[in-house]
Amino acid sequence: MPPAPSSTYSAITLHINGDPHTLSVDHRTTLLDALRERLDLTGTKKGCDQGQCGACTVLLDGRRAVACLQLAVAAEGREITTIEGLAEGEQLHPVQEAFLDLDGYQCGYCTPGQICSAVAMIEEHAAGWPSAVTDDLRPEAGPPPLTADEIRERMSGNLCRCGAYVSIVQAVARAAGIRADAARTAQPTEAAEAEGVTA
């Protein structure tokens, strides 16, 4: 006869935005539900609850993760950053500033996940990680130019039902410090399209 199952609850300590939070959770509780329902950190949004929309994106040890597919018990011992933890007091994170300045949101529902994803994406790019549209994959090539295509590909896990993608790309480019370069690359294409020239 198999042994009786152990308790389905555990006491865990989650390190969120620099602070420890100890709570008892069912082993099946997702990080998203622990954040929203147990800790009142409602900036992280529940969208599809299937890991497809990116609305619940948070940072785990600096890497982006969809909280709806991450079990809370598996996040113990890791540094969790939510949208509430990005600002330094009254000073917004540069990505948050760029989203505000360039209207990178409309209804705002997807914005926390977009911003968290963009923060990690900018770090991934700076570290030289390629994307599906990166031309030169050689490590010695260094980070590829962070073009609009690169940003769109790297942010493709975050959906915006309002369709604010143009502003989101501009906000990410500004936050990465390359907005002027991205605008310069886009101008010849726009000029060619205005004259009816296609590539």
Side-chain angles (χ1 to χ4, degrees):
M1 179 168 236
S6 62
S7 169
T8 60
Y9 280 78
S10 290
I12 62 172
T13 300
L14 298 176
H15 295 274
I16 305 167
N17 302 328
D19 296 321
H21 299 269
T22 301
L23 62 160
S24 177
V25 294
D26 185 302
H27 295 161
R28 299 164 295 180
T29 303
T30 64
L31 178 58
L32 174 60
D33 286 338
L35 291 170
R36 290 183 58 81
E37 308 301 329
R38 303 294 305 281
L39 298 171
D40 287 331
L41 292 168
T42 56
T44 305
K45 300 297 188 254
K46 181 178 279 198
C48 66
D49 216 16
Q50 298 177 351
Q52 296 179 7
C53 74
C56 66
T57 302
V58 297
L59 305 179
L60 288 180
D61 297 329
R63 303 266 307 268
R64 48 189 164 169
V66 284
C68 71
L69 297 185
Q70 175 76 39
L71 293 176
V73 292
E76 188 172 28
R78 302 180 72 182
E79 288 300 322
I80 303 161
T81 305
T82 68
I83 190 70
E84 292 92 345
L86 288 179
E88 295 284 341
E90 296 297 311
Q91 179 62 49
L92 293 178
H93 188 281
V95 175
Q96 292 173 307
E97 287 277 10
F99 267 69
L100 281 172
D101 292 345
L102 296 170
D103 200 20
Y105 59 88
Q106 286 188 26
C107 78
Y109 194 87
C110 75
T111 305
Q114 297 271 7
I115 289 173
C116 285
S117 187
V119 168
M121 185 226 83
I122 290 168
E123 293 302 316
E124 292 164 10
H125 173 262
W129 294 13
S131 79
V133 299
T134 301
D135 290 329
D136 192 345
L137 301 178
R138 297 172 303 137
E140 61 270 20
L146 197 50
T147 62
D149 284 344
E150 278 282 351
I151 294 171
R152 281 193 289 268
E153 172 60 29
R154 291 168 185 266
M155 292 292 293
S156 63
N158 293 80
L159 303 180
C160 172
R161 289 173 176 85
C162 297
Y165 295 114
V166 172
S167 297
I168 289 168
V169 169
Q170 291 172 350
V172 173
R174 176 182 284 184
I178 57 107
R179 184 173 186 260
D181 292 338
R184 235 179 279 117
T185 358
Q187 284 172 357
T189 307
E190 290 169 0
E193 287 173 353
E195 293 172 9
V197 178
T198 58

